[in-house]
Coordinates of all heavy atoms in Angstrom, one line a residue:
D219 N -40.2 183.5 4.0 CA -40.1 183.9 2.6 C -38.7 183.7 2.0 O -38.6 183.3 0.9 CB -40.5 185.4 2.5 CG -40.6 185.9 1.0 OD1 -41.4 185.3 0.3 OD2 -39.9 186.9 0.7
T220 N -37.7 184.0 2.8 CA -36.3 183.8 2.4 C -36.1 182.3 2.0 O -35.5 182.0 1.0 CB -35.4 184.2 3.5 OG1 -35.5 185.6 3.8 CG2 -33.9 183.9 3.1
M221 N -36.5 181.4 2.9 CA -36.3 180.0 2.6 C -37.2 179.5 1.4 O -36.7 178.7 0.6 CB -36.7 179.2 3.9 CG -35.8 179.4 5.0 SD -34.1 178.8 4.6 CE -33.1 180.0 5.6
K222 N -38.3 180.1 1.3 CA -39.2 179.7 0.2 C -38.6 180.0 -1.2 O -38.8 179.3 -2.2 CB -40.6 180.3 0.3 CG -41.6 179.9 -0.7 CD -43.0 180.6 -0.4 CE -44.0 180.1 -1.4 NZ -45.3 180.8 -1.1
K223 N -37.9 181.1 -1.2 CA -37.3 181.6 -2.5 C -36.1 180.7 -2.9 O -35.6 180.8 -4.1 CB -36.8 183.1 -2.3 CG -38.0 184.0 -2.3 CD -37.5 185.5 -2.1 CE -38.7 186.4 -2.0 NZ -38.2 187.8 -1.8
M224 N -35.5 179.9 -2.0 CA -34.4 179.1 -2.3 C -34.9 177.7 -2.9 O -36.0 177.3 -2.5 CB -33.6 178.8 -1.1 CG -32.9 179.9 -0.5 SD -31.9 179.4 1.0 CE -31.3 180.9 1.7
S225 N -34.1 177.1 -3.7 CA -34.3 175.7 -4.1 C -33.9 174.8 -3.0 O -33.2 175.2 -2.1 CB -33.6 175.4 -5.4 OG -32.2 175.4 -5.1
V226 N -34.3 173.5 -3.1 CA -33.9 172.6 -2.1 C -32.4 172.5 -2.0 O -31.8 172.5 -1.0 CB -34.5 171.2 -2.4 CG1 -33.9 170.1 -1.5 CG2 -36.0 171.2 -2.3
K227 N -31.7 172.5 -3.2 CA -30.3 172.4 -3.3 C -29.6 173.7 -2.6 O -28.6 173.5 -1.9 CB -29.8 172.4 -4.7 CG -28.3 172.2 -4.9 CD -28.0 172.0 -6.4 CE -26.4 171.8 -6.5 NZ -26.1 171.6 -8.0
E228 N -30.2 174.8 -2.8 CA -29.7 176.0 -2.2 C -29.9 176.0 -0.7 O -29.0 176.4 0.1 CB -30.4 177.3 -2.8 CG -30.0 177.6 -4.2 CD -30.8 178.7 -4.8 OE1 -32.0 178.8 -4.5 OE2 -30.2 179.4 -5.7
R229 N -31.0 175.5 -0.2 CA -31.2 175.4 1.2 C -30.3 174.4 1.8 O -29.8 174.6 2.9 CB -32.7 175.0 1.5 CG -33.7 176.1 1.3 CD -35.1 175.7 1.8 NE -35.7 174.7 1.1 CZ -36.6 174.9 0.1 NH1 -36.8 176.1 -0.3 NH2 -37.2 173.8 -0.5
Q230 N -30.0 173.3 1.1 CA -29.0 172.3 1.6 C -27.6 173.0 1.7 O -26.9 172.8 2.7 CB -29.0 171.1 0.8 CG -30.2 170.2 0.9 CD -30.2 169.0 0.0 OE1 -29.3 168.8 -0.8 NE2 -31.1 168.1 0.3
Q231 N -27.2 173.7 0.7 CA -25.9 174.4 0.7 C -25.9 175.4 1.8 O -24.8 175.5 2.4 CB -25.7 175.1 -0.7 CG -24.3 175.7 -0.8 CD -23.2 174.7 -0.6 OE1 -23.1 173.7 -1.2 NE2 -22.3 175.0 0.4
W232 N -26.9 176.1 2.0 CA -27.0 177.1 3.2 C -26.7 176.3 4.5 O -26.0 176.8 5.3 CB -28.4 177.7 3.1 CG -28.6 178.8 4.2 CD1 -28.2 180.1 4.1 CD2 -29.2 178.6 5.5 NE1 -28.6 180.7 5.3 CE2 -29.2 179.8 6.1 CE3 -29.8 177.5 6.1 CZ2 -29.7 180.0 7.4 CZ3 -30.3 177.6 7.4 CH2 -30.3 178.9 8.0
S233 N -27.3 175.2 4.6 CA -27.1 174.4 5.8 C -25.7 173.9 5.9 O -25.1 173.8 7.0 CB -28.1 173.2 5.9 OG -29.4 173.6 6.1
K234 N -25.1 173.5 4.8 CA -23.7 173.0 4.8 C -22.8 174.1 5.3 O -21.8 173.8 6.0 CB -23.3 172.6 3.4 CG -23.8 171.2 3.0 CD -23.3 170.8 1.6 CE -23.9 169.5 1.2 NZ -23.5 169.1 -0.2
N235 N -23.1 175.3 4.9 CA -22.2 176.5 5.4 C -22.3 176.5 6.9 O -21.2 176.8 7.5 CB -22.7 177.8 4.8 CG -22.6 177.9 3.3 OD1 -21.8 177.1 2.7 ND2 -23.3 178.8 2.7
Q236 N -23.4 176.2 7.5 CA -23.5 176.2 9.0 C -22.7 175.1 9.6 O -22.1 175.2 10.6 CB -25.0 176.2 9.4 CG -26.0 177.0 8.6 CD -25.5 178.5 8.5 OE1 -25.1 179.1 9.4 NE2 -25.5 178.9 7.2
A237 N -22.7 173.9 8.8 CA -22.0 172.8 9.3 C -20.5 173.1 9.4 O -19.8 172.6 10.4 CB -22.2 171.6 8.4
Y238 N -20.0 173.8 8.4 CA -18.5 174.2 8.5 C -18.2 175.1 9.6 O -17.1 175.0 10.3 CB -18.1 174.8 7.2 CG -17.8 173.7 6.1 CD1 -18.7 173.2 5.2 CD2 -16.5 173.2 6.0 CE1 -18.5 172.3 4.3 CE2 -16.2 172.2 5.1 CZ -17.2 171.7 4.2 OH -16.9 170.8 3.3
I239 N -19.1 176.0 9.9 CA -19.0 176.9 11.1 C -18.9 176.0 12.4 O -18.0 176.2 13.2 CB -20.1 177.9 11.2 CG1 -20.1 178.8 10.0 CG2 -20.0 178.7 12.5 CD1 -21.3 179.7 9.9
S240 N -19.7 175.0 12.5 CA -19.7 174.2 13.7 C -18.5 173.3 13.8 O -17.9 173.1 14.9 CB -21.0 173.2 13.7 OG -20.9 172.2 12.7
L241 N -18.0 172.9 12.6 CA -16.7 172.1 12.6 C -15.6 173.0 13.1 O -14.8 172.5 14.0 CB -16.4 171.7 11.2 CG -15.1 170.9 11.0 CD1 -15.1 169.6 11.7 CD2 -14.7 170.8 9.5
G242 N -15.5 174.2 12.7 CA -14.4 175.1 13.1 C -14.5 175.4 14.6 O -13.5 175.4 15.4
N243 N -15.8 175.6 15.1 CA -16.0 175.8 16.5 C -15.6 174.6 17.3 O -14.9 174.8 18.4 CB -17.4 176.2 16.7 CG -17.7 176.6 18.2 OD1 -17.0 177.4 18.8 ND2 -18.8 176.1 18.7
L244 N -16.0 173.4 16.9 CA -15.6 172.2 17.6 C -14.1 172.0 17.7 O -13.5 171.6 18.7 CB -16.3 171.0 17.0 CG -17.8 170.8 17.3 CD1 -18.3 169.7 16.5 CD2 -17.9 170.5 18.8
M245 N -13.4 172.2 16.6 CA -12.0 172.1 16.5 C -11.3 173.0 17.5 O -10.3 172.6 18.2 CB -11.4 172.3 15.1 CG -11.8 171.2 14.2 SD -11.5 171.6 12.4 CE -9.7 171.9 12.5
T246 N -11.7 174.2 17.6 CA -11.1 175.2 18.5 C -11.4 174.8 19.9 O -10.5 174.9 20.8 CB -11.7 176.6 18.2 OG1 -11.4 177.0 16.9 CG2 -11.1 177.6 19.2
V247 N -12.6 174.4 20.2 CA -12.9 174.0 21.6 C -12.1 172.8 22.0 O -11.6 172.7 23.1 CB -14.4 173.8 21.8 CG1 -14.7 173.2 23.2 CG2 -15.2 175.1 21.6
C248 N -12.0 171.8 21.1 CA -11.1 170.7 21.3 C -9.7 171.1 21.7 O -9.1 170.6 22.7 CB -11.1 169.8 20.1 SG -12.5 168.7 19.8
A249 N -9.1 172.0 20.9 CA -7.8 172.5 21.2 C -7.7 173.1 22.6 O -6.8 172.8 23.3 CB -7.3 173.5 20.1
V250 N -8.6 174.0 22.9 CA -8.6 174.6 24.2 C -8.7 173.6 25.4 O -8.1 173.7 26.4 CB -9.7 175.7 24.3 CG1 -9.9 176.2 25.7 CG2 -9.4 176.8 23.3
E251 N -9.5 172.5 25.1 CA -9.7 171.5 26.1 C -8.6 170.4 26.1 O -8.7 169.5 26.9 CB -11.1 170.9 25.9 CG -12.2 171.8 26.2 CD -12.3 172.2 27.7 OE1 -12.0 171.4 28.6 OE2 -12.7 173.3 28.0
G252 N -7.6 170.5 25.2 CA -6.6 169.5 25.2 C -7.1 168.2 24.6 O -6.6 167.1 24.9
I253 N -8.1 168.3 23.7 CA -8.6 167.1 23.0 C -8.1 167.1 21.5 O -8.2 168.2 20.9 CB -10.1 167.2 23.0 CG1 -10.6 167.1 24.5 CG2 -10.7 166.0 22.2 CD1 -12.1 167.4 24.6
D254 N -7.7 166.0 21.0 CA -7.3 165.9 19.7 C -8.4 165.7 18.7 O -9.4 165.0 19.1 CB -6.2 164.8 19.5 CG -4.9 165.2 20.1 OD1 -4.3 166.2 19.6 OD2 -4.5 164.6 21.1
S255 N -8.3 166.1 17.5 CA -9.4 165.9 16.5 C -8.8 165.9 15.1 O -7.6 166.2 14.9 CB -10.4 167.1 16.6 OG -9.8 168.3 16.2
C256 N -9.6 165.4 14.2 CA -9.1 165.4 12.8 C -10.3 165.6 11.9 O -11.2 164.8 11.7 CB -8.5 164.0 12.5 SG -7.9 163.9 10.8
P257 N -10.4 166.8 11.3 CA -11.5 167.1 10.4 C -11.4 166.4 9.1 O -10.4 166.2 8.6 CB -11.4 168.7 10.2 CG -9.9 168.9 10.3 CD -9.5 168.0 11.4
M258 N -12.6 165.9 8.7 CA -12.6 165.0 7.5 C -13.7 165.4 6.5 O -14.9 165.4 6.9 CB -12.7 163.5 7.9 CG -11.6 162.9 8.6 SD -11.9 161.2 8.9 CE -10.4 160.7 9.6
E259 N -13.4 165.6 5.3 CA -14.3 165.7 4.2 C -14.3 164.5 3.4 O -15.2 164.2 2.6 CB -14.0 166.9 3.3 CG -14.2 168.3 4.0 CD -13.9 169.4 3.0 OE1 -12.7 169.5 2.6 OE2 -14.8 170.2 2.7
G260 N -13.2 163.7 3.5 CA -12.9 162.5 2.7 C -13.7 161.3 3.1 O -13.1 160.5 3.9

């Protein structure tokens, strides 16, 4: 029901929010493991 009440655009934005969480998590794990990274939106 929650997903049904959203528009396609809203559902995509909701997913994008999760993507940023994963980016931050990956960057932190990279740092802990001594791996370099470069986040890019561009």
Side-chain angles (χ1 to χ4, degrees):
D219 187 56
T220 296
M221 292 298 146
K222 186 177 180 181
K223 288 177 180 177
M224 295 182 186
S225 66
V226 173
K227 186 176 180 179
E228 287 172 332
R229 288 192 290 268
Q230 288 180 350
Q231 183 58 54
W232 182 85
S233 290
K234 285 182 181 179
N235 294 342
Q236 317 312 308
Y238 277 91
I239 295 171
S240 73
L241 176 68
N243 187 42
L244 281 171
M245 290 168 62
T246 299
V247 173
C248 279
V250 170
E251 292 294 326
I253 299 168
D254 288 296
S255 66
C256 183
M258 291 182 178
E259 294 178 298

